[in-house]
């Protein structure tokens, strides 16, 4: 079996589009398409379903993927032990990490960037998007989510807790009615997520605090919510690691309007032997421990 065909299969499975796979392999997208067609003919079954958004693995493709990943690991092992690469023992290849938008952007990105500097052969796709990524669909190698996966052949660990609080812009709060208790929130507009596009029930905060009469702005993006609060549009529940460091924001109902959520980290069981995945997994566990004081500020720890 032609390893080149399998290599293109692997890149397309990881990236989801011909264009992205072509960029990763340094060829034209037509070359990737031709290689995939040749492999499908050899396998006697379609390996991808062609959709408007890109290419999605079929059942045959999902069954083939672990074997090809094992082949890749073997090939990389041979390359690492060759005389030309004797001096380079670090992890190589691409790892896709899925994370919530705020955590991925503000906390993970700097640490992952430093990891790639330490290992030039390693590439990381950080998918910091406001939706849940699926390991079963090979959308990522490692997923950090707000809900613990309940099924599937996956390895799961608790990464870290984090605190969220209710915030408002200081000037906004100065010119609006005083908020001394939860009932006073009825005088204020709110900023939150879009209910029917909420990707996790763990993001439902306001039901525990106050049912807003009016939303000034709703967005699937926590960054957009943060900017709307900074602009003085209303109040919002935001991660403390995002909002506590902003001097123009102030906490509202401290000690009462405060929530704790958990980040769970998971990966497919068959990926645990891949050196590149192990390297990123280990770093992320370190980040969870190192950033604990930022994710759960001391005042929040004392109130639990």
């Amino acid at each position: 079996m032609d390893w080149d065909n399998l290599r293109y299969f692997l890149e397309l499975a990881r990236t989801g589009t011909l264009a992205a796979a072509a960029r990763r392999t340094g060829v034209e997208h037509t070359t990737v398409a031709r290689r995939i067609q040749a492999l499908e003919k050899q396998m006697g079954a379609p390996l991808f379903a062609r959709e408007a958004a890109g290419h999605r693995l079929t059942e045959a493709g999902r069954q083939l993927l672990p074997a090809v990943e094992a082949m890749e690991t073997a090939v990389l092992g041979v390359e690492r032990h060759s005389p030309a690469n004797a001096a380079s023992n670090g992890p190589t290849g691409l790892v896709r990490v899925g994370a919530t938008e705020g955590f991925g952007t503000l906390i993970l990105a700097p640490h992952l960037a430093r990891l790639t500097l330490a290992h030039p052969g390693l590439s990381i796709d950080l998918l910091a998007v406001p939706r849940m990524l699926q390991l079963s669909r090979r959308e990522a190698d490692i997923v950090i989510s707000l809900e613990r996966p309940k099924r599937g052949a996956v390895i799961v660990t608790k990464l870290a807790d984090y605190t969220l609080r209710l915030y408002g812009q200081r000037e906004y709060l100065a010119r609006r009615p005083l908020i001394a208790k939860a009932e006073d929130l009825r005088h204020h507009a709110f900023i939150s997520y879009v209910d029917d596009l909420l990707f996790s029930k763990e993001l439902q905060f306001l039901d525990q605090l106050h049912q807003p009469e009016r939303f000034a702005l709703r967005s699937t993006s926590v960054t957009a919510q943060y900017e709307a609060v900074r602009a003085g549009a209303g109040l919002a529940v935001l991660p403390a690691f995002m909002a506590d460091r902003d001097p123009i924001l102030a906490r509202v109902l401290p000690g009462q309007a405060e929530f704790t959520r958990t980040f769970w980290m998971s990966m497919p069981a068959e990926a645990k032997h891949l050196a590149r995945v192990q390297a990123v997994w280990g770093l992320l566990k370190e980040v969870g421990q190192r950033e604990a004081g930022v994710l759960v500020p001391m005042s929040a720890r004392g109130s639990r």
Side-chain angles (χ1 to χ4, degrees):
M1 186 165 287
D2 191 333
W3 166 243
D4 278 338
N5 289 348
L6 295 170
R7 181 166 63 93
Y8 290 115
F9 163 80
L10 202 53
E11 292 298 341
L12 185 56
R14 288 169 175 166
T15 60
T17 68
L18 292 173
R23 284 194 299 270
R24 293 287 307 155
T25 52
V27 299
E28 295 293 328
H29 74 277
T30 52
T31 300
V32 178
R34 187 171 63 253
R35 292 284 192 168
I36 296 301
Q37 289 172 359
L39 181 60
E40 289 179 327
K41 182 177 180 180
Q42 190 173 22
M43 297 295 296
L47 302 174
F48 294 92
R50 280 71 170 173
E51 300 177 345
H55 284 60
R56 177 176 55 82
L57 283 171
T58 62
E59 182 59 30
R62 285 192 292 270
Q63 291 180 5
L64 177 63
L65 185 59
V68 180
E69 288 177 330
M71 291 177 67
E72 181 193 40
T73 300
V75 170
L76 292 175
V78 172
E79 291 177 349
R80 282 195 298 271
H81 289 89
S82 68
N85 294 314
S88 176
N89 297 315
T92 60
L94 173 68
V95 177
R96 306 191 98 189
V97 178
T100 57
E101 180 192 10
F103 183 59
T105 302
L106 297 178
I107 302 296
L108 297 185
H111 293 283
L112 292 174
R114 284 190 284 272
L115 182 65
T116 62
L117 289 174
H119 300 289
L122 182 66
S123 296
I124 296 175
D125 285 353
L126 176 58
L127 312 179
V129 294
R131 71 177 183 87
M132 190 72 72
L133 295 170
Q134 301 297 323
L135 287 174
S136 60
R137 298 178 184 174
R138 300 293 172 177
E139 292 184 314
D141 300 297
I142 298 173
V143 169
I144 298 170
S145 60
L146 293 175
E147 297 178 18
R148 178 175 184 145
K150 294 182 173 61
R151 61 178 183 271
V154 297
I155 297 172
V156 183
T157 187
K158 177 180 176 179
L159 184 59
D161 289 332
Y162 77 107
T163 299
L164 303 101
R165 294 164 171 164
L166 184 63
Y167 296 89
Q169 186 209 58
R170 293 185 185 275
E171 292 184 5
Y172 165 88
L173 294 171
R175 68 176 184 265
R176 298 301 299 271
L178 178 68
I179 305 173
K181 54 187 181 300
E183 290 77 7
D184 297 331
L185 294 173
R186 69 182 186 277
H187 301 297
H188 295 265
F190 277 78
I191 296 153
S192 187
Y193 288 95
V194 182
D195 287 342
D196 58 338
L197 296 177
L198 200 63
F199 67 88
S200 172
K201 61 180 177 59
E202 296 297 324
L203 296 174
Q204 294 173 331
F205 312 108
L206 295 178
D207 290 345
Q208 305 173 41
L209 183 65
H210 169 72
Q211 191 60 46
E213 296 179 5
R214 174 176 176 263
F215 287 101
L217 181 144
R218 296 193 301 174
S219 175
T220 57
S221 166
V222 70
T223 304
Q225 295 175 40
Y226 166 69
E227 292 296 340
V229 176
R230 296 188 84 252
L235 309 177
V237 176
L238 298 170
F241 64 76
M242 173 182 283
D244 270 3
R245 61 185 181 178
D246 193 327
I248 76 168
L249 299 184
R251 292 174 59 188
V252 177
L253 295 176
Q256 180 179 352
E258 188 165 286
F259 311 89
T260 299
R261 295 294 186 266
T262 299
F263 286 125
W264 297 94
M265 184 165 67
S266 55
M267 69 173 169
E270 66 265 20
K272 66 181 179 181
H273 299 301
L274 298 176
R276 63 179 183 278
V277 177
Q278 288 179 344
V280 177
W281 181 272
L283 172 83
L284 293 174
K285 291 185 70 173
E286 291 179 13
V287 171
Q289 298 170 358
R290 193 181 310 167
E291 300 286 354
V294 175
L295 296 170
V296 182
M298 188 61 68
S299 59
R301 277 183 269 178
S303 65
R304 282 198 266 166

